[in-house]
Amino acid sequence: MAASRQANPPHVDAIVVGSGFGGAVTAARLAQAGLSVTIVERGRRWLPGQFPRDPAKLDTWLWNTDDGLYDVRWLDSMLAIQGAGWGGGSLVYANVFARPAAQSLNGRWPEALRRDALDPYYDLAGTMLEVRPVREDPSTGRIPERTRVFEDLVERMDIGSATVRPNLAVRFGPPETWSQNTHGVEQRGCAFVGECILGCNRSAKNSLDHNYLAVAEANSATAVTEANVTRIEQDEKGWAVWTEEQEHGRKRGVRRTATQLFLAAGAVATTELLLRARDVHRTLPDLSETLGQGFSGNGDFLATGNLRRGSGDLTTGPTITTTTVLDVWERSKPVWFQVQDGAIPQPVSTAVDEELPLKGARWLWRRLRSHDRTRTLAFLSMGHDAGQGRLQLDKKGEATLAWANRWQSGLYRAEGRVGPAIARHLGSAVRSLPLWSLFRRAVTVHPLGGVPTGVDRSSGVIGKDNQVHGYPGLYVMDGSAIPASTGANPSATILAAAERTIERIIRNTTGDESWQAPEWERVRCIPAPEDDAYDWMAARRRGTAGDGIVVDEAMWDRRTRRSSGVGVRLRLSIPGLDAFRADPEHPAAVTGRVRHSAIPGTHDVAGHVRLFPQSADHLMRYDLTFVDGAGRRWNGVGTKRLRGRGLIDRYRSLTRMELDFGLVDDPTTTIATELVMRPSDVIAMSRSIRGTGFTRTRRLQAIATFLGFFAYRALSAKGADGRLMTRVAG
């Protein structure tokens, strides 16, 4: 419960402002180290069953109107959504515990915050939150329908290996059984109601009040909730914090003092508090001029869709269950981001519907379009934006953001194209939020930055120890100290960074250089499934540079009918034209079917083809293999040779192949034939060519590039008497 409201609260070793990811870690570790700690939180302590659900009382959900759960901040050029309550953003986040891709972190990331340094602390934080991937729904025994839809979707898009089920801070188990977690807090198992972002009324979300904050209070930390910090200043004992608190229905100001002060109110609120201290109250006039710089929205981008194909409730299960990593080319530059599935809770759908105008017209439209709310889902993207925003104060002393979309236009374009790409496979429209599509205003639920790190106050607000330059004992411990976008859900990074930083602060404060969190004794290595997706997609991008093409071709023995004779149907796949053209062999993968009268049945065949290889006496060479119905393995070699100089000769050369098959275990058993492509086959092949780029423009460019390569090579080949003599490089 909240601490009693003392007229003159006692001086303590440390005051922590905020109980979110940075503040909860800081408070827990300081208390475990034996320091006296007061945690000041502006929001209330939400208990199971108290989180808002009534769409007709939307005002009670909002911080600005009723001190509710959601603090929706209009920063002029961006909308930021944050949580308010004991546990901060963990009360309403989507539970994802993910590490950023090491290869995607730019030069703004210091060594102390890179993966090598933070990985042990990710394991510590993951152990504290007891994270694990989604489990089967106890009511059905199956994974959520939304998970299946997304995993089927990426398989159809040929990027199944880029999709993983991330770790979630959710307690899975019997949904009606209460049991203690490792911190002694009673919880129930997840009931898959899909309302994680509304606050878990079943106590199944491993939010910070169930772990770090519980540890802090168990070690005598004092919690003061419903206390909004209005002013900070230095005093003779160290630091003073002024709060506005409720007492008997009236607000009053309370002054608290501590030797050390740790700010962890969130990227927007912490930066805003420091800006007021410097520019309004003048209590910290020497704060760095860099304050407010480096703000990032973490590349957040949201789209929604309503699936008309299939059946099943897409609103059930944890809010996010899958992560798909994408690494695509956007105007000759790689753009890295990820997309996650998202449940849209029914109360949110109803609340939005009640607030929007033209209710009758929208009802009729949904009836005509067979709109089913249980088939609505979200597509949540995040990536590396430019991180060049600047928070500053308006005339009312409130934070506003200087932000230009052109700084991250490549990322926004790539994220915006996810909807059309997905829609092609789902058969349903996927649309971005009206705030973006109509007004080009981004929405972030992951605000970061605003308090830069530097070697001195001319280059940053804080030093590498997170202490504010020129103000000993004042520290910043939350997302405002993260130097750039993480490109992933940032909560795990904020936790790990806070764990590492507070460990060093405690060692310096207490003089005990060996101090560490007691939980290290039971820390387990937390698998990072996202790393497999990062590595696979990075390799794929290297291999698909220049985009690719797929083409189908069929060839037949001209002496037999297609229905009963000898023939092959093949698909040639080139994943990346840059590598294909750079390789002197110009290889392409081949799959398909083969049929021969001497080998009963039709068989799956695979292999590769080399198109116009340099320093060779043939135009193309096919190396194929298949296993027949008797289990015997056959290898085949098909060759297309130049047979003359004229255009007709070249056409015949490219449409005629000598194909020899032999048994692997019996070299004396061979089959030789000559296959041709009829004019109808050539037409069908031409129509089958398609690009594999992320956008329609890139697909068309890939087709044009391949056709140009093919035409040039075919026309530049020189030979006589059936033998290739010279190849013009190009």
Side-chain angles (χ1 to χ4, degrees):
M1 64 178 62
S4 58
R5 309 299 188 180
Q6 297 169 296
N8 295 294
H11 180 85
V12 294
D13 294 321
I15 291 177
V16 179
V17 177
S19 61
F21 295 104
V25 170
T26 301
R29 300 313 181 203
L30 289 171
Q32 286 177 320
L35 280 69
S36 56
V37 179
T38 296
I39 312 164
V40 179
E41 166 58 50
R42 62 175 176 166
R44 70 187 76 170
R45 191 184 292 258
W46 296 89
L47 300 178
Q50 293 182 348
F51 290 102
R53 291 293 187 271
D54 189 350
K57 299 180 180 179
L58 193 58
D59 285 353
T60 64
W61 297 27
L62 304 178
W63 172 258
N64 287 335
T65 55
D66 195 34
D67 291 348
L69 183 61
Y70 298 97
D71 183 8
V72 180
R73 300 291 301 273
W74 178 247
L75 301 175
D76 187 32
S77 53
M78 182 180 290
L79 189 72
I81 303 175
Q82 305 158 93
W86 182 245
S90 75
L91 299 175
V92 295
Y93 83 138
N95 317 306
V96 176
F97 185 93
R99 310 179 198 209
Q103 61 267 41
S104 74
L105 301 180
N106 61 28
R108 283 183 287 180
W109 286 80
E111 291 299 322
L113 294 181
R114 290 184 176 270
R115 285 288 301 273
D116 289 346
L118 283 191
D119 268 338
Y121 297 94
Y122 281 114
D123 289 338
L124 173 58
T127 300
M128 291 289 293
L129 268 60
E130 301 181 77
V131 299
R132 65 201 66 192
V134 65
R135 301 290 180 87
E136 291 76 16
D137 185 337
S139 66
T140 65
R142 301 188 300 272
I143 60 171
E145 176 67 11
R146 181 167 27 85
T147 310
R148 186 196 63 77
V149 166
F150 262 75
E151 291 178 343
D152 289 349
L153 169 64
V154 296
E155 287 294 339
R156 293 200 298 272
M157 298 175 71
D158 295 325
I159 53 172
S161 296
T163 297
V164 297
R165 299 178 185 178
N167 287 314
L168 305 176
V170 175
R171 188 171 181 82
F172 295 107
E176 301 303 330
T177 302
W178 290 90
S179 61
Q180 287 190 351
N181 65 19
T182 57
H183 310 291
V185 179
E186 293 283 337
Q187 291 185 259
R188 285 188 288 185
C190 179
F192 284 64
V193 296
E195 297 180 349
C196 307
I197 60 172
L198 301 182
C200 184
N201 273 329
R202 303 185 58 82
S203 197
K205 177 199 282 272
N206 295 341
S207 48
L208 298 171
D209 50 329
H210 292 111
N211 36 74
Y212 279 104
L213 294 174
V215 168
E217 291 192 281
N219 284 273
S220 301
T222 299
V224 182
T225 57
E226 300 180 66
N228 191 33
V229 175
T230 58
R231 180 186 178 101
I232 59 175
E233 60 188 12
Q234 286 182 299
D235 80 344
E236 66 280 359
K237 296 181 179 180
W239 291 93
V241 174
W242 287 90
T243 60
E244 189 177 70
E245 305 177 17
Q246 292 280 352
E247 184 179 45
H248 306 302
R250 299 178 61 184
K251 292 183 178 181
R252 70 183 183 97
V254 178
R255 186 176 186 269
R256 289 182 164 81
T257 62
T259 305
Q260 295 177 315
L261 175 58
F262 297 85
L263 301 182
V268 176
T270 290
T271 307
E272 185 178 61
L273 192 60
L274 289 171
L275 284 169
R276 287 175 182 163
R278 187 190 68 186
D279 302 336
V280 178
H281 302 141
R282 309 285 184 180
T283 56
L284 305 179
D286 294 329
L287 285 173
S288 171
E289 288 299 316
T290 66
L291 179 61
Q293 295 180 8
F295 182 86
S296 164
N298 205 43
D300 287 358
F301 194 91
L302 177 63
T304 61
N306 186 265
L307 306 193
R308 293 189 292 274
R309 294 177 184 173
S311 60
D313 190 344
L314 302 181
T315 68
T316 63
T319 295
I320 289 173
T321 61
T322 66
T323 293
T324 300
V325 176
L326 296 175
D327 197 345
V328 301
W329 291 92
E330 179 64 44
R331 295 190 177 179
S332 302
K333 293 182 180 180
V335 176
W336 186 100
F337 63 104
Q338 55 187 284
V339 182
Q340 298 173 331
D341 67 294
I344 300 179
Q346 294 276 10
V348 171
S349 298
T350 303
V352 171
D353 189 52
E354 290 293 330
E355 292 297 317
L356 291 177
L358 304 176
K359 185 175 181 180
R362 286 184 287 106
W363 176 85
L364 179 60
W365 174 254
R366 285 194 299 270
R367 286 290 301 271
L368 295 174
R369 299 284 292 176
S370 301
H371 183 97
D372 180 356
R373 284 180 180 170
T374 67
R375 299 290 294 170
T376 298
L377 74 168
F379 302 86
L380 312 167
S381 300
M382 63 198 77
H384 289 297
D385 62 24
Q388 295 178 353
R390 177 160 191 161
L391 288 170
Q392 49 200 0
L393 298 181
D394 60 17
K395 294 180 180 179
K396 296 180 180 179
E398 297 179 351
T400 186
L401 176 65
W403 182 263
N405 288 331
R406 66 178 181 276
W407 292 336
Q408 41 276 322
S409 57
L411 173 63
Y412 283 161
R413 273 197 303 269
E415 290 176 325
R417 287 168 176 160
V418 168
I422 291 175
R424 288 198 303 271
H425 295 271
L426 294 181
S428 301
V430 178
R431 299 182 175 88
S432 56
L433 291 182
L435 194 63
W436 174 258
S437 58
L438 296 178
F439 306 107
R440 286 297 184 263
R441 291 294 185 265
V443 177
T444 181
V445 294
H446 302 127
L448 298 170
V451 180
T453 301
V455 296
D456 53 35
R457 65 181 299 272
S458 67
S459 58
V461 178
I462 59 176
K464 62 181 181 180
D465 59 354
N466 284 43
Q467 188 167 210
V468 176
H469 289 302
Y471 295 99
L474 176 61
Y475 298 87
V476 177
M477 300 295 293
D478 58 13
S480 64
I482 299 298
S485 58
T486 62
N489 311 73
S491 58
T493 299
I494 298 172
L495 288 166
E499 284 278 21
R500 185 182 188 279
T501 301
I502 196 61
E503 179 182 85
R504 282 153 177 75
I505 292 173
I506 289 173
R507 290 176 179 179
N508 291 334
T509 299
T510 63
D512 181 359
E513 288 297 322
S514 64
W515 187 92
Q516 63 178 14
E519 288 79 7
W520 276 113
E521 296 179 357
R522 57 180 178 83
V523 167
R524 61 186 178 92
C525 180
I526 305 295
E530 58 272 15
D531 281 350
D532 293 335
Y534 297 151
D535 293 341
W536 185 86
M537 185 52 73
R540 181 180 185 272
R541 179 171 66 80
R542 291 192 297 269
T544 58
D547 299 313
I549 63 100
V550 174
V551 58
D552 297 329
E553 68 173 350
M555 290 173 282
W556 311 94
D557 187 330
R558 60 182 175 181
R559 296 166 298 181
T560 61
R561 299 174 59 185
R562 295 185 185 184
S563 59
S564 59
V566 179
V568 293
R569 288 186 179 275
L570 302 176
R571 171 164 292 177
L572 282 62
S573 302
I574 301 172
L577 287 169
D578 284 1
F580 167 79
R581 291 188 295 170
D583 190 324
E585 296 291 301
H586 310 307
V590 174
T591 58
R593 304 278 284 173
V594 62
R595 184 174 70 232
H596 199 286
S597 56
I599 310 171
T602 301
H603 310 287
D604 292 331
V605 67
H608 63 272
V609 59
R610 286 169 282 183
L611 286 78
F612 308 107
Q614 294 181 14
S615 303
D617 64 348
H618 50 264
L619 297 175
M620 301 181 191
R621 175 186 167 113
Y622 295 72
D623 290 280
L624 307 173
T625 184
F626 70 91
V627 177
D628 66 17
R632 300 177 300 175
R633 180 173 293 278
W634 295 77
N635 285 342
V637 176
T639 309
K640 293 181 179 180
R641 302 181 186 279
L642 187 61
R643 304 168 186 271
R645 296 177 180 273
L647 291 177
I648 299 300
D649 294 325
R650 294 171 193 274
Y651 172 82
R652 290 174 177 172
S653 300
L654 291 169
T655 58
R656 183 178 299 176
M657 180 170 70
E658 299 167 0
L659 179 61
D660 299 327
F661 275 111
L663 269 176
V664 173
D665 296 332
D666 183 6
T668 63
T669 302
T670 61
I671 300 172
T673 188
E674 186 177 67
L675 305 181
V676 298
M677 297 176 66
R678 298 179 173 91
S680 60
D681 299 320
V682 175
I683 293 173
M685 181 185 68
S686 301
R687 291 177 174 175
S688 74
I689 301 174
R690 61 187 184 277
T692 58
F694 188 58
T695 67
R696 184 173 185 271
T697 299
R698 296 198 67 86
R699 292 191 293 273
L700 292 175
Q701 288 175 342
I703 293 172
T705 298
F706 174 74
L707 291 176
F709 165 87
F710 191 92
Y712 177 78
R713 290 288 179 163
L715 294 174
S716 64
K718 297 180 180 180
D721 301 323
R723 182 174 178 81
L724 183 66
M725 303 299 294
T726 307
R727 178 81 61 242
V728 178

